[in-house]
Amino acid sequence: LEPVIGDLRKLLGDAAVLEPSAQYEQDATEGRGLRGRADAVVLPDTAQDVARALAWCYEHDVPVVPRGGGSGFAGGAVPVDGGVVLGTERLRAVRALDPLLWRATFEAGLPTAHVHRLARENGLYYPPDPGASEQSQLGGNVATNAGGPHAFLHGVTGHWITGLEVAVAPGELIHLGGQTRKDVAGYDLRSLLIGSEGTLGIVTAADVRLIPAPEAALPVVASYPDVAAGCAAVAAVYGSGLRAAALEYLDAVTMAAAGSDAGFTVIAEAQGDAETAARLRDALAEALGEGASALDTPEPEALWRWRGGVSIAVSAKRGGKVSEDIAVPVDRLREAIEATLEIGARHGLEACSWGHAGDGNLHSTFMVARDEADRARAAADDLHELAVRLGGTVTGEHGLGLLRSGELARQWPPRALDLHEAVKRAFDPKALLNPGKKAARC
Ligand SMILES: Cc1cc2nc3c(=O)[nH]c(=O)nc-3n(C[C@H](O)[C@H](O)[C@H](O)COP(=O)(O)OP(=O)(O)OC[C@H]3O[C@@H](n4cnc5c(N)ncnc54)[C@H](O)[C@@H]3O)c2cc1C
């Protein structure tokens, strides 16, 4: 341990290298008992120093675990077995911001909420809005290709990234793409990095596409007597051709955990100039109205703040939770929601789900006390099997990370798994970048 810290301090300065501590050895999966062990924590304040740290690690065969805000739900930032945790929290510079050209270049450690704020202050909008936006960072969002409620209309993080600066093995800084909005010159290496969960390189900065901010965002909230009626309403919004910016659901158990007896709930949001948004909101209310037991049009800020607290309310119910994030084709949503409850019952666990209905993305959750972790893991296994059987995926937005590493073999054919492994070897021949994460096979 001492030589690692001593050598890295000589290379990067004392302030950039810390002794390992709990804060950097866990992430948002802490409640699932995931805790790793690091030899050192490195917090460079320049992209060049990220590359230098990676070069040192590569030369000395030391694993490197990239870390953003540690809000990940897959254990991706947890150092499995020693090595260097390389955090980007000091890389927060705004390298460029061109409001009139709808674009910016931000360093990777800028918190997601700051990206939102900077865009808003300049009359612009950066739509990706994963739930822990004060904690998560742009680099972490790129590395997980994070979604969020407004991904339904606007797409996930990758859709908003035109270029990436990345430190790649054996320790070099490269720029993939740039500020150009179209580019088909080579294989799309930038997209390979997006969602790669720290296993192919360390993102140090991103060129971001922005759009003019919508003048208004007007949500509608509707409640239903059961899952069938709620999912019929989701299908009705699709069928209406109305372009909701967000289309979310919370099942009755989730609502109860959040202190509401409203039952199965669907949220749709209209965006646009004030007049267009109001018209769209009314049309969405009409589409959602059939079969609804109640309809409301709350203030957007209050609604999304409340929605952001749901995960914590569900955790509080029994002291802990195992939350998965399967995604299925949207016409299989009802089956997946109902099966989540059945799987929970089969394993003797109270289950619930909420999520991004329009994207068929469920946060299927088992509420657990500490001694029920094994049963919850078995239930999660059944859930993954269900997702693949319904033509979906074991993870719609949180990633494979450590928790679901190897699970890809459930849903990809062997030849595709070989190619996945070949990509990893090409970027990281010594397998030092985030070992144990996002493996194709167990
Ligand atoms: C309350 C709550 C709500 C959430 N809601 C959503 C949601 O709606 N949608 C959603 O998609 N996610 C959601 N998440 C999950 C999480 O916020 C996202 O996965 C987020 O993108 C992680 O960013 P981070 O900076 O915290 O990354 P970390 O947790 O630090 O890391 C995540 C992964 O990315 C890698 N990584 C981090 N930074 C870099 C980098 N610079 N270069 C290369 N690799 C890197 C890590 O090695 C790790 O594998 C939620 C989490 C919480 C706690």
Side-chain angles (χ1 to χ4, degrees), residues 340-356:
T340 296
L341 299 173
E342 284 156 23
I343 290 170
R346 200 156 65 233
H347 291 274
L349 296 168
E350 192 173 5
C352 66
S353 72
W354 68 94
H356 315 301

PDB file of all heavy atoms in Angstrom, residues 340-356:
ATOM      1  N   THR A 340     -43.439  -8.986 -11.167  1.00  0.00           N
ATOM      2  CA  THR A 340     -42.583  -8.511 -10.061  1.00  0.00           C
ATOM      3  C   THR A 340     -43.246  -8.844  -8.721  1.00  0.00           C
ATOM      4  O   THR A 340     -42.601  -9.353  -7.794  1.00  0.00           O
ATOM      5  CB  THR A 340     -42.366  -6.988 -10.176  1.00  0.00           C
ATOM      6  OG1 THR A 340     -41.645  -6.721 -11.381  1.00  0.00           O
ATOM      7  CG2 THR A 340     -41.585  -6.442  -8.989  1.00  0.00           C
ATOM      8  N   LEU A 341     -44.553  -8.586  -8.642  1.00  0.00           N
ATOM      9  CA  LEU A 341     -45.286  -8.866  -7.397  1.00  0.00           C
ATOM     10  C   LEU A 341     -45.316 -10.370  -7.129  1.00  0.00           C
ATOM     11  O   LEU A 341     -45.127 -10.823  -5.995  1.00  0.00           O
ATOM     12  CB  LEU A 341     -46.712  -8.304  -7.484  1.00  0.00           C
ATOM     13  CG  LEU A 341     -46.815  -6.783  -7.688  1.00  0.00           C
ATOM     14  CD1 LEU A 341     -48.260  -6.346  -7.936  1.00  0.00           C
ATOM     15  CD2 LEU A 341     -46.246  -6.025  -6.489  1.00  0.00           C
ATOM     16  N   GLU A 342     -45.532 -11.151  -8.205  1.00  0.00           N
ATOM     17  CA  GLU A 342     -45.588 -12.611  -8.041  1.00  0.00           C
ATOM     18  C   GLU A 342     -44.241 -13.176  -7.584  1.00  0.00           C
ATOM     19  O   GLU A 342     -44.182 -14.039  -6.712  1.00  0.00           O
ATOM     20  CB  GLU A 342     -45.971 -13.279  -9.372  1.00  0.00           C
ATOM     21  CG  GLU A 342     -47.457 -13.142  -9.705  1.00  0.00           C
ATOM     22  CD  GLU A 342     -47.711 -13.271 -11.220  1.00  0.00           C
ATOM     23  OE1 GLU A 342     -46.866 -13.880 -11.927  1.00  0.00           O
ATOM     24  OE2 GLU A 342     -48.737 -12.736 -11.661  1.00  0.00           O
ATOM     25  N   ILE A 343     -43.167 -12.673  -8.184  1.00  0.00           N
ATOM     26  CA  ILE A 343     -41.826 -13.166  -7.811  1.00  0.00           C
ATOM     27  C   ILE A 343     -41.561 -12.850  -6.336  1.00  0.00           C
ATOM     28  O   ILE A 343     -41.076 -13.683  -5.583  1.00  0.00           O
ATOM     29  CB  ILE A 343     -40.735 -12.547  -8.733  1.00  0.00           C
ATOM     30  CG1 ILE A 343     -40.847 -13.130 -10.141  1.00  0.00           C
ATOM     31  CG2 ILE A 343     -39.340 -12.778  -8.166  1.00  0.00           C
ATOM     32  CD1 ILE A 343     -39.989 -12.438 -11.195  1.00  0.00           C
ATOM     33  N   GLY A 344     -41.914 -11.622  -5.935  1.00  0.00           N
ATOM     34  CA  GLY A 344     -41.744 -11.254  -4.526  1.00  0.00           C
ATOM     35  C   GLY A 344     -42.494 -12.228  -3.623  1.00  0.00           C
ATOM     36  O   GLY A 344     -41.929 -12.770  -2.663  1.00  0.00           O
ATOM     37  N   ALA A 345     -43.765 -12.499  -3.962  1.00  0.00           N
ATOM     38  CA  ALA A 345     -44.594 -13.381  -3.130  1.00  0.00           C
ATOM     39  C   ALA A 345     -43.977 -14.782  -3.060  1.00  0.00           C
ATOM     40  O   ALA A 345     -43.935 -15.407  -2.003  1.00  0.00           O
ATOM     41  CB  ALA A 345     -46.014 -13.436  -3.697  1.00  0.00           C
ATOM     42  N   ARG A 346     -43.463 -15.238  -4.208  1.00  0.00           N
ATOM     43  CA  ARG A 346     -42.854 -16.578  -4.257  1.00  0.00           C
ATOM     44  C   ARG A 346     -41.660 -16.695  -3.297  1.00  0.00           C
ATOM     45  O   ARG A 346     -41.387 -17.740  -2.742  1.00  0.00           O
ATOM     46  CB  ARG A 346     -42.412 -16.856  -5.695  1.00  0.00           C
ATOM     47  CG  ARG A 346     -42.228 -18.305  -6.010  1.00  0.00           C
ATOM     48  CD  ARG A 346     -42.372 -18.619  -7.486  1.00  0.00           C
ATOM     49  NE  ARG A 346     -41.347 -18.025  -8.317  1.00  0.00           N
ATOM     50  CZ  ARG A 346     -41.602 -17.271  -9.386  1.00  0.00           C
ATOM     51  NH1 ARG A 346     -42.844 -17.000  -9.736  1.00  0.00           N
ATOM     52  NH2 ARG A 346     -40.620 -16.782 -10.111  1.00  0.00           N
ATOM     53  N   HIS A 347     -40.959 -15.597  -3.126  1.00  0.00           N
ATOM     54  CA  HIS A 347     -39.777 -15.621  -2.253  1.00  0.00           C
ATOM     55  C   HIS A 347     -40.081 -15.062  -0.862  1.00  0.00           C
ATOM     56  O   HIS A 347     -39.161 -14.812  -0.077  1.00  0.00           O
ATOM     57  CB  HIS A 347     -38.637 -14.826  -2.908  1.00  0.00           C
ATOM     58  CG  HIS A 347     -38.082 -15.501  -4.134  1.00  0.00           C
ATOM     59  ND1 HIS A 347     -37.102 -16.457  -4.084  1.00  0.00           N
ATOM     60  CD2 HIS A 347     -38.411 -15.386  -5.448  1.00  0.00           C
ATOM     61  CE1 HIS A 347     -36.825 -16.893  -5.300  1.00  0.00           C
ATOM     62  NE2 HIS A 347     -37.612 -16.262  -6.154  1.00  0.00           N
ATOM     63  N   GLY A 348     -41.374 -14.845  -0.589  1.00  0.00           N
ATOM     64  CA  GLY A 348     -41.757 -14.345   0.733  1.00  0.00           C
ATOM     65  C   GLY A 348     -41.312 -12.916   0.990  1.00  0.00           C
ATOM     66  O   GLY A 348     -41.022 -12.543   2.127  1.00  0.00           O
ATOM     67  N   LEU A 349     -41.251 -12.109  -0.069  1.00  0.00           N
ATOM     68  CA  LEU A 349     -40.788 -10.726   0.077  1.00  0.00           C
ATOM     69  C   LEU A 349     -41.854  -9.764  -0.431  1.00  0.00           C
ATOM     70  O   LEU A 349     -42.500 -10.038  -1.458  1.00  0.00           O
ATOM     71  CB  LEU A 349     -39.523 -10.504  -0.759  1.00  0.00           C
ATOM     72  CG  LEU A 349     -38.284 -11.313  -0.357  1.00  0.00           C
ATOM     73  CD1 LEU A 349     -37.224 -11.214  -1.458  1.00  0.00           C
ATOM     74  CD2 LEU A 349     -37.717 -10.800   0.964  1.00  0.00           C
ATOM     75  N   GLU A 350     -42.003  -8.638   0.247  1.00  0.00           N
ATOM     76  CA  GLU A 350     -42.927  -7.632  -0.279  1.00  0.00           C
ATOM     77  C   GLU A 350     -42.242  -6.925  -1.458  1.00  0.00           C
ATOM     78  O   GLU A 350     -41.085  -6.498  -1.357  1.00  0.00           O
ATOM     79  CB  GLU A 350     -43.293  -6.618   0.802  1.00  0.00           C
ATOM     80  CG  GLU A 350     -44.457  -5.757   0.341  1.00  0.00           C
ATOM     81  CD  GLU A 350     -45.008  -4.823   1.408  1.00  0.00           C
ATOM     82  OE1 GLU A 350     -44.436  -4.761   2.503  1.00  0.00           O
ATOM     83  OE2 GLU A 350     -46.003  -4.158   1.117  1.00  0.00           O
ATOM     84  N   ALA A 351     -42.950  -6.852  -2.570  1.00  0.00           N
ATOM     85  CA  ALA A 351     -42.352  -6.286  -3.775  1.00  0.00           C
ATOM     86  C   ALA A 351     -43.166  -5.092  -4.248  1.00  0.00           C
ATOM     87  O   ALA A 351     -44.336  -4.926  -3.899  1.00  0.00           O
ATOM     88  CB  ALA A 351     -42.308  -7.339  -4.876  1.00  0.00           C
ATOM     89  N   CYS A 352     -42.535  -4.259  -5.042  1.00  0.00           N
ATOM     90  CA  CYS A 352     -43.251  -3.152  -5.686  1.00  0.00           C
ATOM     91  C   CYS A 352     -42.432  -2.739  -6.906  1.00  0.00           C
ATOM     92  O   CYS A 352     -41.326  -3.237  -7.109  1.00  0.00           O
ATOM     93  CB  CYS A 352     -43.402  -1.964  -4.732  1.00  0.00           C
ATOM     94  SG  CYS A 352     -41.847  -1.178  -4.288  1.00  0.00           S
ATOM     95  N   SER A 353     -42.977  -1.863  -7.705  1.00  0.00           N
ATOM     96  CA  SER A 353     -42.184  -1.320  -8.806  1.00  0.00           C
ATOM     97  C   SER A 353     -42.698   0.043  -9.189  1.00  0.00           C
ATOM     98  O   SER A 353     -43.850   0.390  -8.945  1.00  0.00           O
ATOM     99  CB  SER A 353     -42.194  -2.265 -10.022  1.00  0.00           C
ATOM    100  OG  SER A 353     -43.456  -2.246 -10.663  1.00  0.00           O
ATOM    101  N   TRP A 354     -41.797   0.812  -9.745  1.00  0.00           N
ATOM    102  CA  TRP A 354     -42.142   2.107 -10.325  1.00  0.00           C
ATOM    103  C   TRP A 354     -41.130   2.322 -11.437  1.00  0.00           C
ATOM    104  O   TRP A 354     -40.183   1.549 -11.572  1.00  0.00           O
ATOM    105  CB  TRP A 354     -42.062   3.221  -9.267  1.00  0.00           C
ATOM    106  CG  TRP A 354     -40.681   3.524  -8.784  1.00  0.00           C
ATOM    107  CD1 TRP A 354     -39.829   4.481  -9.254  1.00  0.00           C
ATOM    108  CD2 TRP A 354     -39.955   2.841  -7.735  1.00  0.00           C
ATOM    109  NE1 TRP A 354     -38.636   4.439  -8.560  1.00  0.00           N
ATOM    110  CE2 TRP A 354     -38.683   3.457  -7.635  1.00  0.00           C
ATOM    111  CE3 TRP A 354     -40.253   1.769  -6.883  1.00  0.00           C
ATOM    112  CZ2 TRP A 354     -37.719   3.041  -6.718  1.00  0.00           C
ATOM    113  CZ3 TRP A 354     -39.277   1.364  -5.968  1.00  0.00           C
ATOM    114  CH2 TRP A 354     -38.039   1.989  -5.885  1.00  0.00           C
ATOM    115  N   GLY A 355     -41.291   3.343 -12.233  1.00  0.00           N
ATOM    116  CA  GLY A 355     -40.270   3.559 -13.257  1.00  0.00           C
ATOM    117  C   GLY A 355     -40.766   4.307 -14.461  1.00  0.00           C
ATOM    118  O   GLY A 355     -41.774   5.016 -14.420  1.00  0.00           O
ATOM    119  N   HIS A 356     -39.998   4.139 -15.517  1.00  0.00           N
ATOM    120  CA  HIS A 356     -40.162   4.926 -16.719  1.00  0.00           C
ATOM    121  C   HIS A 356     -41.056   4.117 -17.684  1.00  0.00           C
ATOM    122  O   HIS A 356     -40.564   3.385 -18.541  1.00  0.00           O
ATOM    123  CB  HIS A 356     -38.791   5.232 -17.295  1.00  0.00           C
ATOM    124  CG  HIS A 356     -37.809   5.686 -16.227  1.00  0.00           C
ATOM    125  ND1 HIS A 356     -38.047   6.800 -15.445  1.00  0.00           N
ATOM    126  CD2 HIS A 356     -36.635   5.166 -15.783  1.00  0.00           C
ATOM    127  CE1 HIS A 356     -37.039   6.952 -14.581  1.00  0.00           C
ATOM    128  NE2 HIS A 356     -36.180   5.967 -14.766  1.00  0.00           N
TER     129      HIS A 356
END
